[in-house]
Amino acid sequence: MFPPGHAQPQDPDAPIRATDNDAALARLSAVKKNYLQDAFVKDLVPRAHLQPSRPPLINIGTYVRSHAIDLLVGEWLQMAKASGTKVQIVSLGAGSDTRFWRIETGPAKDELAKYIEVDFTEVTTKKAMAIRKSKQMNSLLGDPEKVQVAGGGTGLRSPKYHLIPADLRMPPTVSLGPVLTAGESTEGGPLLSPSLPTLIIFECVLAYMSPEASARLLRWFVDYSSTGPEEGGILGCLVYEMFNLHDAFGRVMVSNLQARYVSIPGAEPFTTLESLSKRLTDEGFSAARALTLREIRRAYIEQSELERISKLEFLDETEELDLVLEHYAISWGLYLQNPGSSSSWGHWGLKQQRL
Ligand SMILES: C[S@@+](CC[C@H](N)C(=O)[O-])C[C@H]1O[C@@H](n2cnc3c(N)ncnc32)[C@H](O)[C@@H]1O
């Protein structure tokens, strides 16, 4: 971290990479306080047992975001099961996320064909090392003969899980695209297949890139999915992001980040929920929706869950919680190459639980 007053770092991307520490520590805190279950995050955070917990407001925010994303990913996997297909998931700017291991130890593991994570080289190198050191994470990568450290220690390959170093701001046609579509899998074939429904996840990453670079990346995945077989490619996209930063509270968020030399050009143009879904439809998604974390907490999380987490910690700042949650949103979009033949995928999305 680079607290205010510290000299500007020589590598301008170092503060962006450091946001992964914040995300991992927030997750660890929510796990320690029983908001979330995650047996793996402690293996990715140095001295996890010594890390202090976050305030209740942060724990609740982390819970709402993670639970909603889990619901969307879980439904994607369930739809695969119902359609008798396997799916592939690509997590861009994955940082220290543990979703692959949580899926592999859950009921939907057989629906997962590939899980690919991408981040800056420094982040993937650290993660590859931590995974190799963790007995429980390593053992879930499958046949040890087929688990390989790749790219001189900067990545990992296994039958399902792949960790790839790349700068997402580079044009995907010359950087990420060739890696995903070339013969990089442990079986020798391409990593991705356009014939499998693919979910791309951007969890708190697009804000750090220009809107043009994000648009290019989204468009690349849509174009790739349009090369599917007769029944058509299926692509889902899930984005979690800060937005609505033009009001007083948003301006404070921006200046707090600036004080740590983190700029967020990718959040600037998105001031409404409509603008978030339009980002996806503009790049070729057939349909898209966006909700603030405040709306998700109010109406999209199961009542039993809300009651459970309300007992975990005392929160006396509910107005402040709402204010914070109004500045984060989850958007999701679906691209169907052939909407007629795959209509059940059209129902993918968060489901309202209360009016
Ligand atoms: C706030 S963290 C989120 C990590 C994880 N997705 C999560 O939600 O826990 C942002 C991540 O995006 C990565 N990132 C940001 N810009 C990137 C870029 N241009 N290329 C690759 N990774 C990037 C950072 O290195 C960091 O790991």
Side-chain angles (χ1 to χ4, degrees):
M1 280 307 88
F2 305 95
H6 276 219
Q8 184 158 1
Q10 286 194 335
D11 174 356
D13 292 336
I16 299 178
R17 293 192 297 269
T19 62
D20 179 47
N21 298 338
D22 295 340
L25 288 176
R27 184 163 185 85
L28 181 70
S29 169
V31 169
K32 280 185 177 170
K33 294 284 177 187
N34 281 327
Y35 287 88
L36 299 170
Q37 293 212 329
D38 182 340
F40 307 101
V41 63
K42 64 175 172 26
D43 291 5
L44 296 180
V45 176
R47 296 179 300 281
H49 60 292
L50 297 177
Q51 301 296 341
S53 294
R54 294 294 165 101
L57 193 144
I58 306 284
N59 288 333
I60 295 174
T62 305
Y63 169 81
V64 175
R65 149 207 188 160
S66 305
H67 188 69
I69 296 176
D70 285 350
L71 287 173
L72 282 165
V73 175
E75 198 188 8
W76 190 263
L77 290 159
Q78 268 172 24
M79 288 192 151
K81 188 174 190 149
S83 320
T85 178
K86 285 181 186 273
V87 296
Q88 43 202 9
I89 297 180
V90 187
S91 175
L92 292 312
S96 304
D97 190 34
T98 57
R99 180 159 279 106
F100 167 73
W101 290 269
R102 288 182 277 128
I103 295 175
E104 274 305 283
T105 47
K109 71 175 171 45
D110 294 337
E111 272 61 71
L112 190 62
K114 287 272 184 306
Y115 196 103
I116 299 166
E117 294 191 325
V118 183
D119 209 299
F120 283 122
T121 307
E122 293 81 351
V123 176
T124 56
T125 304
K126 225 172 68 185
K127 188 166 189 175
M129 218 147 36
I131 294 168
R132 296 302 272 164
K133 263 174 71 182
S134 161
K135 231 182 188 169
Q136 57 164 357
M137 292 180 97
N138 214 24
S139 68
L140 289 162
L141 296 181
D143 181 354
E145 303 253 299
K146 292 190 172 158
V147 179
Q148 299 159 4
V149 173
T154 62
L156 270 183
R157 281 185 210 162
S158 76
K160 273 192 193 179
Y161 175 78
H162 290 255
L163 180 62
I164 299 175
D167 182 342
L168 300 170
R169 295 167 300 193
M170 301 296 286
T173 43
V174 295
S175 62
L176 190 58
V179 177
L180 295 178
T181 54
E184 287 277 332
S185 79
T186 47
E187 288 78 29
L191 270 189
L192 273 190
S193 158
S195 63
L196 292 182
T198 301
L199 177 61
I200 51 177
I201 302 177
F202 297 92
E203 190 174 355
C204 205
V205 56
L206 293 183
Y208 307 113
M209 301 164 48
S210 71
E212 294 74 30
S214 303
R216 232 170 17 201
L217 202 51
L218 291 167
R219 175 63 69 176
W220 185 87
F221 277 101
V222 170
D223 288 348
Y224 178 71
S225 301
S226 71
T227 61
E230 331 74 75
E231 68 269 29
I234 300 170
L235 177 71
C237 176
L238 198 169
V239 181
Y240 163 78
E241 213 57 272
M242 40 200 136
F243 89 117
N244 181 20
L245 302 180
H246 289 195
D247 65 7
F249 188 85
R251 284 196 297 273
V252 173
M253 286 169 67
V254 173
S255 72
N256 285 347
L257 286 166
Q258 270 167 355
R260 291 163 45 186
Y261 303 106
V262 177
S263 64
I264 44 172
E268 182 64 22
F270 301 102
T271 52
T272 62
L273 289 175
E274 291 68 38
S275 62
L276 286 174
S277 23
K278 188 169 175 298
R279 158 162 66 187
L280 300 180
T281 50
D282 278 354
E283 297 317 320
F285 284 86
S286 330
R289 228 185 131 194
L291 289 168
T292 66
L293 288 197
R294 181 181 177 176
E295 282 177 280
I296 293 173
R297 175 173 177 264
R298 188 188 61 75
Y300 290 80
I301 290 189
E302 310 86 308
Q303 189 61 33
S304 56
E305 271 297 277
L306 282 186
E307 283 167 18
R308 182 183 72 76
I309 67 157
S310 72
K311 295 179 193 134
L312 296 177
E313 286 181 292
F314 178 69
L315 176 83
D316 57 0
E317 322 113 326
T318 43
E319 274 175 30
E320 200 185 339
L321 175 66
D322 281 342
L323 193 58
V324 173
L325 297 186
E326 269 166 15
H327 289 82
Y328 291 89
I330 290 180
S331 41
W332 65 94
L334 186 71
Y335 165 78
L336 297 175
Q337 188 185 357
N338 181 354
S341 69
S342 316
S343 54
S344 69
W345 291 89
H347 300 296
W348 179 61
L350 288 178
K351 306 287 179 289
Q352 193 159 348
Q353 308 284 324
R354 290 173 300 283
L355 285 178

Coordinates of all heavy atoms in Angstrom, one line a residue, residues 13 16-24 27 65 69 91-98 118-121 123 165-170 201-206 208-209 240 242, ligand 1:
D13 N 1.8 0.7 -12.2 CA 0.8 -0.3 -12.0 C 0.9 -1.0 -10.7 O 0.0 -1.8 -10.3 CB 1.0 -1.4 -13.1 CG 0.7 -0.9 -14.5 OD1 -0.1 0.0 -14.6 OD2 1.2 -1.5 -15.5
I16 N -2.1 -0.5 -8.6 CA -3.3 -1.3 -9.1 C -3.2 -2.7 -8.6 O -4.2 -3.3 -8.2 CB -3.4 -1.2 -10.6 CG1 -3.5 0.3 -11.1 CG2 -4.5 -2.0 -11.2 CD1 -3.5 0.4 -12.6
R17 N -2.0 -3.3 -8.7 CA -1.8 -4.7 -8.3 C -2.1 -4.8 -6.8 O -2.6 -5.8 -6.3 CB -0.4 -5.2 -8.6 CG -0.2 -5.3 -10.1 CD 1.1 -6.0 -10.4 NE 2.3 -5.4 -9.9 CZ 3.0 -4.5 -10.5 NH1 2.7 -4.2 -11.8 NH2 4.1 -4.0 -10.0
A18 N -1.7 -3.7 -6.1 CA -1.9 -3.8 -4.6 C -3.4 -3.8 -4.2 O -3.7 -4.2 -3.1 CB -1.2 -2.6 -4.0
T19 N -4.3 -3.4 -5.1 CA -5.7 -3.5 -4.7 C -6.1 -4.9 -4.5 O -7.1 -5.2 -3.8 CB -6.6 -2.9 -5.8 OG1 -6.5 -3.7 -7.0 CG2 -6.3 -1.4 -6.1
D20 N -5.3 -5.9 -5.0 CA -5.7 -7.3 -4.7 C -5.5 -7.6 -3.3 O -6.2 -8.5 -2.7 CB -4.8 -8.2 -5.6 CG -5.1 -9.7 -5.3 OD1 -6.3 -10.0 -5.3 OD2 -4.2 -10.5 -5.1
N21 N -4.5 -7.0 -2.6 CA -4.3 -7.2 -1.2 C -5.6 -6.8 -0.4 O -6.1 -7.5 0.5 CB -3.2 -6.4 -0.6 CG -1.9 -6.8 -1.2 OD1 -1.7 -7.9 -1.8 ND2 -0.9 -5.9 -1.2
D22 N -6.1 -5.7 -0.8 CA -7.4 -5.2 -0.1 C -8.5 -6.2 -0.3 O -9.2 -6.5 0.7 CB -7.8 -3.8 -0.7 CG -6.8 -2.7 -0.5 OD1 -6.0 -2.9 0.4 OD2 -6.9 -1.7 -1.2
A23 N -8.6 -6.6 -1.6 CA -9.8 -7.6 -1.8 C -9.6 -8.9 -1.0 O -10.5 -9.4 -0.4 CB -9.8 -7.9 -3.3
A24 N -8.3 -9.4 -1.0 CA -8.1 -10.6 -0.3 C -8.3 -10.5 1.2 O -8.9 -11.3 1.9 CB -6.7 -11.1 -0.6
R27 N -12.0 -10.3 2.0 CA -12.6 -11.6 2.0 C -12.2 -12.4 3.2 O -13.1 -13.1 3.8 CB -12.1 -12.3 0.7 CG -12.7 -13.6 0.5 CD -12.6 -14.2 -0.9 NE -13.4 -15.4 -0.9 CZ -14.7 -15.5 -1.1 NH1 -15.4 -14.4 -1.4 NH2 -15.4 -16.6 -1.0
R65 N -21.6 -8.5 -2.2 CA -20.9 -8.7 -3.5 C -20.6 -10.2 -3.8 O -20.9 -10.7 -4.9 CB -19.6 -7.9 -3.5 CG -18.5 -8.4 -4.3 CD -17.2 -7.9 -3.7 NE -16.0 -8.2 -4.5 CZ -14.9 -7.6 -4.3 NH1 -14.7 -6.6 -3.4 NH2 -13.9 -7.9 -5.1
I69 N -22.4 -12.7 -6.6 CA -21.6 -13.3 -7.7 C -21.7 -14.8 -7.6 O -21.8 -15.5 -8.6 CB -20.2 -12.8 -7.6 CG1 -20.2 -11.3 -7.9 CG2 -19.3 -13.5 -8.7 CD1 -18.8 -10.6 -7.8
S91 N -11.8 -15.8 -15.5 CA -11.8 -14.7 -14.5 C -10.7 -13.7 -14.9 O -9.5 -14.1 -14.8 CB -11.7 -15.3 -13.1 OG -11.6 -14.2 -12.2
L92 N -11.0 -12.5 -15.3 CA -10.1 -11.5 -15.7 C -9.7 -10.6 -14.5 O -10.6 -10.1 -13.9 CB -10.6 -10.7 -16.9 CG -10.9 -11.3 -18.2 CD1 -9.7 -12.2 -18.7 CD2 -12.2 -12.2 -18.3
G93 N -8.4 -10.5 -14.2 CA -8.1 -9.7 -13.1 C -8.5 -10.5 -11.8 O -9.0 -9.9 -10.9
A94 N -8.2 -11.8 -11.8 CA -8.6 -12.7 -10.8 C -8.0 -12.4 -9.4 O -8.6 -12.8 -8.4 CB -8.4 -14.1 -11.2
G95 N -6.8 -11.9 -9.4 CA -6.1 -11.6 -8.2 C -6.0 -12.9 -7.3 O -5.7 -14.0 -7.8
S96 N -6.3 -12.8 -6.0 CA -6.3 -13.9 -5.1 C -7.6 -14.6 -5.0 O -7.9 -15.2 -3.9 CB -5.8 -13.4 -3.7 OG -4.6 -12.7 -3.8
D97 N -8.4 -14.5 -5.9 CA -9.8 -15.2 -5.9 C -9.6 -16.7 -5.7 O -8.6 -17.3 -6.2 CB -10.6 -14.8 -7.1 CG -12.0 -15.3 -7.0 OD1 -12.5 -15.2 -5.9 OD2 -12.6 -15.7 -8.0
T98 N -10.6 -17.3 -5.0 CA -10.5 -18.7 -4.7 C -11.7 -19.5 -5.4 O -11.9 -20.7 -5.0 CB -10.6 -19.0 -3.2 OG1 -11.8 -18.4 -2.7 CG2 -9.4 -18.4 -2.5
V118 N -6.7 -14.8 -15.2 CA -5.7 -13.9 -15.8 C -5.4 -12.7 -14.9 O -6.3 -12.2 -14.3 CB -6.2 -13.4 -17.2 CG1 -5.2 -12.5 -17.9 CG2 -6.7 -14.5 -18.1
D119 N -4.1 -12.3 -14.8 CA -3.8 -11.1 -14.0 C -2.4 -10.7 -14.4 O -1.8 -11.4 -15.3 CB -3.9 -11.4 -12.5 CG -4.2 -10.1 -11.7 OD1 -3.4 -9.2 -11.8 OD2 -5.2 -10.1 -11.0
F120 N -1.9 -9.6 -13.9 CA -0.6 -9.1 -14.2 C 0.4 -10.2 -13.8 O 0.2 -11.0 -12.8 CB -0.2 -7.9 -13.3 CG -0.8 -6.6 -13.8 CD1 -1.7 -5.9 -13.0 CD2 -0.5 -6.1 -15.1 CE1 -2.2 -4.6 -13.5 CE2 -1.0 -4.9 -15.5 CZ -1.9 -4.2 -14.7
T121 N 1.6 -10.2 -14.4 CA 2.6 -11.3 -14.2 C 3.0 -11.3 -12.7 O 3.1 -12.4 -12.1 CB 3.9 -10.9 -15.0 OG1 3.5 -10.8 -16.4 CG2 4.9 -12.0 -14.9
V123 N 1.3 -10.7 -10.1 CA 0.2 -11.3 -9.3 C 0.1 -12.8 -9.6 O 0.0 -13.6 -8.6 CB -1.1 -10.6 -9.6 CG1 -2.3 -11.2 -8.8 CG2 -1.0 -9.1 -9.3
P165 N -0.5 -15.1 -17.0 CA -0.1 -13.7 -16.9 C -0.4 -12.9 -18.1 O 0.0 -13.3 -19.2 CB 1.4 -13.8 -16.7 CG 1.9 -15.1 -17.3 CD 0.7 -16.0 -17.4
A166 N -1.0 -11.8 -18.0 CA -1.3 -10.9 -19.2 C -1.7 -9.6 -18.7 O -2.4 -9.4 -17.6 CB -2.4 -11.5 -20.1
D167 N -1.4 -8.5 -19.5 CA -1.9 -7.2 -19.2 C -3.2 -7.0 -20.0 O -3.2 -7.0 -21.3 CB -0.9 -6.2 -19.6 CG -1.3 -4.7 -19.3 OD1 -2.6 -4.5 -19.1 OD2 -0.5 -3.8 -19.2
L168 N -4.3 -6.9 -19.3 CA -5.6 -6.9 -20.0 C -5.8 -5.6 -20.9 O -6.7 -5.5 -21.7 CB -6.8 -7.0 -19.0 CG -6.8 -8.3 -18.2 CD1 -7.8 -8.2 -17.0 CD2 -7.1 -9.5 -19.1
R169 N -4.9 -4.6 -20.7 CA -5.1 -3.4 -21.5 C -4.5 -3.6 -22.9 O -4.8 -2.8 -23.8 CB -4.3 -2.3 -20.8 CG -4.9 -1.9 -19.5 CD -4.0 -1.0 -18.7 NE -2.7 -1.6 -18.4 CZ -1.8 -1.2 -17.5 NH1 -2.1 -0.1 -16.9 NH2 -0.7 -1.8 -17.3
M170 N -3.7 -4.7 -23.1 CA -3.2 -4.9 -24.5 C -4.3 -5.4 -25.4 O -5.2 -6.1 -24.9 CB -2.1 -6.0 -24.4 CG -0.9 -5.7 -23.5 SD 0.0 -4.2 -24.1 CE 0.8 -5.0 -25.5
I201 N -15.7 -13.3 -16.1 CA -15.9 -12.6 -14.8 C -14.9 -11.4 -14.7 O -13.7 -11.7 -14.8 CB -15.8 -13.5 -13.6 CG1 -16.8 -14.7 -13.7 CG2 -16.0 -12.8 -12.3 CD1 -16.7 -15.7 -12.6
F202 N -15.4 -10.2 -14.5 CA -14.6 -9.1 -14.2 C -15.0 -8.6 -12.8 O -15.9 -7.8 -12.7 CB -14.8 -8.0 -15.2 CG -14.5 -8.3 -16.6 CD1 -15.4 -8.8 -17.5 CD2 -13.2 -8.1 -17.1 CE1 -15.1 -9.1 -18.8 CE2 -12.9 -8.4 -18.4 CZ -13.9 -8.9 -19.3
E203 N -14.3 -9.1 -11.8 CA -14.7 -8.7 -10.4 C -13.7 -7.6 -9.9 O -12.6 -7.8 -9.6 CB -14.6 -9.9 -9.4 CG -15.2 -9.6 -8.1 CD -15.3 -10.8 -7.2 OE1 -15.0 -11.9 -7.6 OE2 -15.7 -10.6 -6.0
C204 N -14.2 -6.4 -10.0 CA -13.4 -5.2 -9.6 C -12.1 -5.0 -10.4 O -11.1 -5.0 -9.8 CB -13.2 -5.3 -8.1 SG -12.9 -3.7 -7.4
V205 N -12.2 -5.0 -11.7 CA -11.0 -4.8 -12.5 C -11.2 -3.8 -13.6 O -10.2 -3.1 -13.9 CB -10.5 -6.2 -13.0 CG1 -11.6 -6.9 -13.8 CG2 -9.3 -6.1 -13.9
L206 N -12.4 -3.7 -14.2 CA -12.5 -2.8 -15.4 C -12.3 -1.4 -15.0 O -11.9 -0.6 -15.9 CB -13.9 -3.0 -16.0 CG -14.1 -4.4 -16.7 CD1 -15.5 -4.4 -17.4 CD2 -13.0 -4.7 -17.7
Y208 N -10.0 -0.1 -13.5 CA -8.5 0.3 -13.6 C -8.1 0.4 -15.1 O -6.9 0.7 -15.3 CB -7.7 -0.7 -12.9 CG -8.1 -0.9 -11.4 CD1 -8.7 -2.1 -11.0 CD2 -8.1 0.1 -10.5 CE1 -9.1 -2.3 -9.7 CE2 -8.5 0.0 -9.2 CZ -9.1 -1.3 -8.8 OH -9.5 -1.4 -7.6
M209 N -8.9 0.1 -16.0 CA -8.6 0.2 -17.4 C -9.4 1.2 -18.1 O -10.5 1.6 -17.7 CB -8.9 -1.2 -18.1 CG -8.2 -2.3 -17.5 SD -9.0 -3.9 -17.9 CE -9.1 -3.8 -19.7
Y240 N -18.4 -6.7 -11.6 CA -18.6 -6.0 -10.4 C -17.8 -4.8 -10.4 O -16.6 -4.9 -10.7 CB -18.3 -6.9 -9.2 CG -18.1 -6.2 -7.9 CD1 -19.2 -5.7 -7.2 CD2 -16.8 -5.9 -7.4 CE1 -19.0 -5.0 -6.0 CE2 -16.6 -5.2 -6.3 CZ -17.7 -4.7 -5.5 OH -17.5 -4.0 -4.4
M242 N -17.2 -0.3 -9.0 CA -17.7 0.9 -8.4 C -18.3 1.7 -9.5 O -17.8 1.7 -10.7 CB -16.6 1.6 -7.7 CG -15.3 1.6 -8.3 SD -14.0 2.0 -7.1 CE -12.8 0.8 -7.6
Ligands
LIG1 C1 -9.4 -5.2 -6.7 S1 -8.4 -6.5 -7.3 C2 -9.7 -7.7 -7.5 C3 -9.2 -9.1 -7.5 C4 -10.3 -10.2 -7.6 N1 -11.0 -10.1 -8.9 C5 -11.3 -10.0 -6.5 O1 -12.4 -9.5 -6.7 O2 -11.0 -10.5 -5.4 C6 -8.1 -6.0 -9.0 C7 -7.2 -7.1 -9.7 O3 -7.2 -6.7 -11.1 C8 -5.9 -6.8 -11.6 N2 -5.7 -6.0 -12.8 C9 -6.0 -4.6 -12.8 N3 -5.7 -4.2 -14.1 C10 -5.2 -5.2 -14.8 C11 -4.6 -5.4 -16.1 N4 -4.6 -4.3 -16.9 N5 -4.2 -6.6 -16.5 C12 -4.3 -7.6 -15.6 N6 -4.8 -7.6 -14.4 C13 -5.2 -6.4 -13.9 C14 -5.0 -6.4 -10.4 O4 -3.7 -6.9 -10.5 C15 -5.8 -7.1 -9.2 O5 -5.3 -8.4 -9.0

